[in-house]
Amino acid sequence: MTHYGGVTAWSRGRRDWKPAMLKWAGSHTAACFSPDNRFVMTRMQENALHGWRLRDKADLRMSGYPTKVKGWAWAGKLPWLASTGADEAILWPFDGPQGPLGRGPMQLAWGGRGYVTAICALPGLEAVLAGYSSGPVVFSEID
């Protein structure tokens, strides 16, 4: 559950559910788990994503977006978290034990004018579709 100040993740115990608070200042508006359930990611009211590696609650701060991130999708086998909010699709790598911790994103699907406002992963393909505020939809393979 997202809320101001972070996320509350619930896990099932023997007899009941136990909350675990993952704290980060700001308003968190949406959450998702990585495909392998090692990370939880949130979109923020600010122009950023934030996440936690669940085994040790390490913070993953992903900022620098020129606009709010309003869409995301898990893409490819790596997997990548593809996101909106910039003039290109921003893809964060979630492979290896650290995931995106200390690593930068890949930028794909440059479309000219405007910002990416919609993103779609293509099942079975190493590719994304990025929809732009100015109208075009760009197909891009993940290299």
Side-chain angles (χ1 to χ4, degrees), residues 23-67:
K23 296 180 182 180
W24 188 260
S27 183
H28 301 262
T29 60
C32 70
F33 286 90
S34 63
D36 60 9
N37 292 316
R38 294 184 308 134
F39 300 90
V40 64
M41 300 301 301
T42 64
R43 293 193 309 245
M44 298 192 67
Q45 184 66 28
E46 298 81 20
N47 299 351
L49 298 177
H50 193 80
W52 296 266
R53 185 174 52 202
L54 292 174
R55 71 175 159 87
D56 60 1
K57 297 183 181 178
D59 287 299
L60 306 168
R61 184 174 179 222
M62 299 163 169
S63 58
Y65 288 88
T67 65

